PDB file of all heavy atoms in Angstrom:
ATOM      1  N   VAL B   4     102.806  66.409 104.826  1.00 95.00           N
ATOM      2  CA  VAL B   4     102.647  65.907 106.182  1.00 95.00           C
ATOM      3  C   VAL B   4     102.762  64.396 106.149  1.00 95.00           C
ATOM      4  O   VAL B   4     102.210  63.752 105.247  1.00 95.00           O
ATOM      5  CB  VAL B   4     101.271  66.295 106.769  1.00 95.00           C
ATOM      6  CG1 VAL B   4     101.085  65.676 108.142  1.00 95.00           C
ATOM      7  CG2 VAL B   4     101.131  67.796 106.835  1.00 95.00           C
ATOM      8  N   ALA B   5     103.435  63.839 107.136  1.00 96.00           N
ATOM      9  CA  ALA B   5     103.531  62.389 107.261  1.00 96.00           C
ATOM     10  C   ALA B   5     103.026  61.953 108.626  1.00 96.00           C
ATOM     11  O   ALA B   5     103.410  62.534 109.654  1.00 96.00           O
ATOM     12  CB  ALA B   5     104.976  61.935 107.069  1.00 96.00           C
ATOM     13  N   GLN B   6     102.149  60.990 108.618  1.00 97.00           N
ATOM     14  CA  GLN B   6     101.705  60.340 109.849  1.00 97.00           C
ATOM     15  C   GLN B   6     102.156  58.889 109.714  1.00 97.00           C
ATOM     16  O   GLN B   6     101.541  58.106 108.998  1.00 97.00           O
ATOM     17  CB  GLN B   6     100.194  60.452 110.014  1.00 97.00           C
ATOM     18  CG  GLN B   6      99.739  61.891 110.237  1.00 97.00           C
ATOM     19  CD  GLN B   6      98.243  62.004 110.446  1.00 97.00           C
ATOM     20  OE1 GLN B   6      97.549  62.654 109.673  1.00 97.00           O
ATOM     21  NE2 GLN B   6      97.745  61.395 111.507  1.00 97.00           N
ATOM     22  N   PRO B   7     103.240  58.543 110.379  1.00 96.00           N
ATOM     23  CA  PRO B   7     103.900  57.264 110.094  1.00 96.00           C
ATOM     24  C   PRO B   7     103.147  56.028 110.570  1.00 96.00           C
ATOM     25  O   PRO B   7     103.430  54.927 110.114  1.00 96.00           O
ATOM     26  CB  PRO B   7     105.235  57.396 110.832  1.00 96.00           C
ATOM     27  CG  PRO B   7     104.976  58.389 111.909  1.00 96.00           C
ATOM     28  CD  PRO B   7     103.986  59.347 111.344  1.00 96.00           C
ATOM     29  N   GLU B   8     102.189  56.211 111.463  1.00 96.00           N
ATOM     30  CA  GLU B   8     101.449  55.062 112.000  1.00 96.00           C
ATOM     31  C   GLU B   8     100.028  55.052 111.446  1.00 96.00           C
ATOM     32  O   GLU B   8      99.300  56.027 111.597  1.00 96.00           O
ATOM     33  CB  GLU B   8     101.414  55.119 113.530  1.00 96.00           C
ATOM     34  CG  GLU B   8     102.792  55.130 114.160  1.00 96.00           C
ATOM     35  CD  GLU B   8     102.768  55.721 115.565  1.00 96.00           C
ATOM     36  OE1 GLU B   8     102.135  56.765 115.761  1.00 96.00           O
ATOM     37  OE2 GLU B   8     103.400  55.118 116.448  1.00 96.00           O
ATOM     38  N   ASP B   9      99.662  53.933 110.831  1.00 96.00           N
ATOM     39  CA  ASP B   9      98.281  53.822 110.352  1.00 96.00           C
ATOM     40  C   ASP B   9      97.314  53.663 111.514  1.00 96.00           C
ATOM     41  O   ASP B   9      96.183  54.128 111.453  1.00 96.00           O
ATOM     42  CB  ASP B   9      98.152  52.632 109.405  1.00 96.00           C
ATOM     43  CG  ASP B   9      98.841  52.870 108.083  1.00 96.00           C
ATOM     44  OD1 ASP B   9      99.029  54.042 107.712  1.00 96.00           O
ATOM     45  OD2 ASP B   9      99.200  51.881 107.412  1.00 96.00           O
ATOM     46  N   VAL B  21     100.097  60.403 119.086  1.00 98.00           N
ATOM     47  CA  VAL B  21      99.912  60.229 117.646  1.00 98.00           C
ATOM     48  C   VAL B  21     100.960  61.102 116.954  1.00 98.00           C
ATOM     49  O   VAL B  21     101.009  62.314 117.166  1.00 98.00           O
ATOM     50  CB  VAL B  21      98.500  60.633 117.196  1.00 98.00           C
ATOM     51  CG1 VAL B  21      98.302  60.301 115.726  1.00 98.00           C
ATOM     52  CG2 VAL B  21      97.435  59.934 118.040  1.00 98.00           C
ATOM     53  N   LYS B  22     101.763  60.482 116.116  1.00 98.00           N
ATOM     54  CA  LYS B  22     102.920  61.170 115.555  1.00 98.00           C
ATOM     55  C   LYS B  22     102.609  61.891 114.252  1.00 98.00           C
ATOM     56  O   LYS B  22     101.787  61.434 113.438  1.00 98.00           O
ATOM     57  CB  LYS B  22     104.056  60.169 115.321  1.00 98.00           C
ATOM     58  CG  LYS B  22     104.579  59.550 116.603  1.00 98.00           C
ATOM     59  CD  LYS B  22     105.696  58.559 116.325  1.00 98.00           C
ATOM     60  CE  LYS B  22     106.203  57.947 117.615  1.00 98.00           C
ATOM     61  NZ  LYS B  22     107.250  56.935 117.367  1.00 98.00           N
ATOM     62  N   CYS B  23     103.306  63.018 114.066  1.00 98.00           N
ATOM     63  CA  CYS B  23     103.152  63.808 112.850  1.00 98.00           C
ATOM     64  C   CYS B  23     104.459  64.523 112.557  1.00 98.00           C
ATOM     65  O   CYS B  23     105.041  65.155 113.448  1.00 98.00           O
ATOM     66  CB  CYS B  23     102.034  64.827 113.024  1.00 98.00           C
ATOM     67  SG  CYS B  23     101.901  66.049 111.684  1.00 98.00           S
ATOM     68  N   THR B  24     104.934  64.417 111.337  1.00 97.00           N
ATOM     69  CA  THR B  24     106.060  65.222 110.895  1.00 97.00           C
ATOM     70  C   THR B  24     105.640  65.985 109.650  1.00 97.00           C
ATOM     71  O   THR B  24     104.752  65.557 108.913  1.00 97.00           O
ATOM     72  CB  THR B  24     107.309  64.380 110.596  1.00 97.00           C
ATOM     73  OG1 THR B  24     106.984  63.418 109.594  1.00 97.00           O
ATOM     74  CG2 THR B  24     107.803  63.677 111.848  1.00 97.00           C
ATOM     75  N   TRP B  35      95.616  69.876 114.235  1.00 97.00           N
ATOM     76  CA  TRP B  35      95.127  68.511 114.443  1.00 97.00           C
ATOM     77  C   TRP B  35      93.606  68.525 114.389  1.00 97.00           C
ATOM     78  O   TRP B  35      92.953  69.402 114.987  1.00 97.00           O
ATOM     79  CB  TRP B  35      95.567  67.946 115.789  1.00 97.00           C
ATOM     80  CG  TRP B  35      96.927  67.342 115.781  1.00 97.00           C
ATOM     81  CD1 TRP B  35      98.092  67.872 116.256  1.00 97.00           C
ATOM     82  CD2 TRP B  35      97.285  66.047 115.278  1.00 97.00           C
ATOM     83  NE1 TRP B  35      99.124  67.010 116.066  1.00 97.00           N
ATOM     84  CE2 TRP B  35      98.665  65.857 115.471  1.00 97.00           C
ATOM     85  CE3 TRP B  35      96.560  64.995 114.677  1.00 97.00           C
ATOM     86  CZ2 TRP B  35      99.334  64.703 115.101  1.00 97.00           C
ATOM     87  CZ3 TRP B  35      97.220  63.852 114.299  1.00 97.00           C
ATOM     88  CH2 TRP B  35      98.608  63.708 114.516  1.00 97.00           C
ATOM     89  N   TYR B  89      92.537  60.401 113.371  1.00 97.00           N
ATOM     90  CA  TYR B  89      93.166  61.682 113.662  1.00 97.00           C
ATOM     91  C   TYR B  89      94.008  62.138 112.471  1.00 97.00           C
ATOM     92  O   TYR B  89      94.784  61.348 111.907  1.00 97.00           O
ATOM     93  CB  TYR B  89      94.047  61.576 114.909  1.00 97.00           C
ATOM     94  CG  TYR B  89      93.230  61.396 116.165  1.00 97.00           C
ATOM     95  CD1 TYR B  89      92.709  60.151 116.509  1.00 97.00           C
ATOM     96  CD2 TYR B  89      92.953  62.475 117.002  1.00 97.00           C
ATOM     97  CE1 TYR B  89      91.931  59.987 117.643  1.00 97.00           C
ATOM     98  CE2 TYR B  89      92.185  62.315 118.137  1.00 97.00           C
ATOM     99  CZ  TYR B  89      91.676  61.074 118.447  1.00 97.00           C
ATOM    100  OH  TYR B  89      90.904  60.915 119.572  1.00 97.00           O
ATOM    101  N   PHE B  90      93.841  63.419 112.127  1.00 97.00           N
ATOM    102  CA  PHE B  90      94.565  63.985 110.996  1.00 97.00           C
ATOM    103  C   PHE B  90      95.401  65.179 111.443  1.00 97.00           C
ATOM    104  O   PHE B  90      94.899  66.086 112.118  1.00 97.00           O
ATOM    105  CB  PHE B  90      93.599  64.454 109.903  1.00 97.00           C
ATOM    106  CG  PHE B  90      92.901  63.347 109.186  1.00 97.00           C
ATOM    107  CD1 PHE B  90      91.619  62.966 109.564  1.00 97.00           C
ATOM    108  CD2 PHE B  90      93.519  62.669 108.163  1.00 97.00           C
ATOM    109  CE1 PHE B  90      90.962  61.941 108.907  1.00 97.00           C
ATOM    110  CE2 PHE B  90      92.878  61.642 107.497  1.00 97.00           C
ATOM    111  CZ  PHE B  90      91.598  61.281 107.871  1.00 97.00           C
ATOM    112  N   CYS B  91      96.639  65.170 111.002  1.00 97.00           N
ATOM    113  CA  CYS B  91      97.526  66.311 111.157  1.00 97.00           C
ATOM    114  C   CYS B  91      97.511  67.095 109.849  1.00 97.00           C
ATOM    115  O   CYS B  91      97.401  66.501 108.761  1.00 97.00           O
ATOM    116  CB  CYS B  91      98.938  65.811 111.476  1.00 97.00           C
ATOM    117  SG  CYS B  91     100.184  67.083 111.722  1.00 97.00           S
ATOM    118  N   ALA B  92      97.613  68.416 109.932  1.00 96.00           N
ATOM    119  CA  ALA B  92      97.605  69.235 108.722  1.00 96.00           C
ATOM    120  C   ALA B  92      98.586  70.389 108.883  1.00 96.00           C
ATOM    121  O   ALA B  92      98.821  70.869 109.993  1.00 96.00           O
ATOM    122  CB  ALA B  92      96.201  69.774 108.442  1.00 96.00           C
ATOM    123  N   PHE B 105      96.881  67.738 104.366  1.00 95.00           N
ATOM    124  CA  PHE B 105      96.607  66.776 105.426  1.00 95.00           C
ATOM    125  C   PHE B 105      97.494  65.549 105.295  1.00 95.00           C
ATOM    126  O   PHE B 105      97.873  65.141 104.187  1.00 95.00           O
ATOM    127  CB  PHE B 105      95.143  66.323 105.361  1.00 95.00           C
ATOM    128  CG  PHE B 105      94.160  67.352 105.837  1.00 95.00           C
ATOM    129  CD1 PHE B 105      93.702  68.333 104.982  1.00 95.00           C
ATOM    130  CD2 PHE B 105      93.697  67.340 107.140  1.00 95.00           C
ATOM    131  CE1 PHE B 105      92.799  69.296 105.412  1.00 95.00           C
ATOM    132  CE2 PHE B 105      92.794  68.289 107.586  1.00 95.00           C
ATOM    133  CZ  PHE B 105      92.347  69.268 106.722  1.00 95.00           C
ATOM    134  N   GLY B 106      97.778  64.946 106.436  1.00 96.00           N
ATOM    135  CA  GLY B 106      98.386  63.639 106.440  1.00 96.00           C
ATOM    136  C   GLY B 106      97.361  62.572 106.122  1.00 96.00           C
ATOM    137  O   GLY B 106      96.172  62.864 105.980  1.00 96.00           O
ATOM    138  N   GLY B 107      97.838  61.335 106.047  1.00 95.00           N
ATOM    139  CA  GLY B 107      96.951  60.245 105.677  1.00 95.00           C
ATOM    140  C   GLY B 107      96.045  59.763 106.794  1.00 95.00           C
ATOM    141  O   GLY B 107      95.161  58.946 106.558  1.00 95.00           O
ATOM    142  N   GLY B 108      96.285  60.256 107.995  1.00 96.00           N
ATOM    143  CA  GLY B 108      95.441  59.876 109.120  1.00 96.00           C
ATOM    144  C   GLY B 108      96.004  58.724 109.922  1.00 96.00           C
ATOM    145  O   GLY B 108      96.719  57.862 109.395  1.00 96.00           O
ATOM    146  N   THR B 109      95.696  58.737 111.220  1.00 97.00           N
ATOM    147  CA  THR B 109      96.068  57.650 112.125  1.00 97.00           C
ATOM    148  C   THR B 109      94.823  57.220 112.874  1.00 97.00           C
ATOM    149  O   THR B 109      94.157  58.060 113.498  1.00 97.00           O
ATOM    150  CB  THR B 109      97.137  58.101 113.133  1.00 97.00           C
ATOM    151  OG1 THR B 109      98.317  58.474 112.436  1.00 97.00           O
ATOM    152  CG2 THR B 109      97.455  56.981 114.127  1.00 97.00           C
ATOM    153  N   ARG B 110      94.532  55.955 112.797  1.00 97.00           N
ATOM    154  CA  ARG B 110      93.361  55.442 113.527  1.00 97.00           C
ATOM    155  C   ARG B 110      93.795  55.086 114.940  1.00 97.00           C
ATOM    156  O   ARG B 110      94.773  54.365 115.145  1.00 97.00           O
ATOM    157  CB  ARG B 110      92.799  54.209 112.830  1.00 97.00           C
ATOM    158  CG  ARG B 110      91.496  53.712 113.435  1.00 97.00           C
ATOM    159  CD  ARG B 110      90.796  52.712 112.527  1.00 97.00           C
ATOM    160  NE  ARG B 110      90.509  53.269 111.209  1.00 97.00           N
ATOM    161  CZ  ARG B 110      89.475  54.050 110.942  1.00 97.00           C
ATOM    162  NH1 ARG B 110      88.634  54.400 111.902  1.00 97.00           N
ATOM    163  NH2 ARG B 110      89.277  54.489 109.717  1.00 97.00           N
TER     164      ARG B 110
END
Side-chain angles (χ1 to χ4, degrees):
Chain B
V4 176
Q6 293 182 241
E8 301 158 315
D9 289 337
V21 186
K22 296 180 180 177
C23 171
T24 58
W35 276 103
Y89 290 79
F90 290 97
C91 181
F105 286 85
T109 298
R110 186 166 302 279

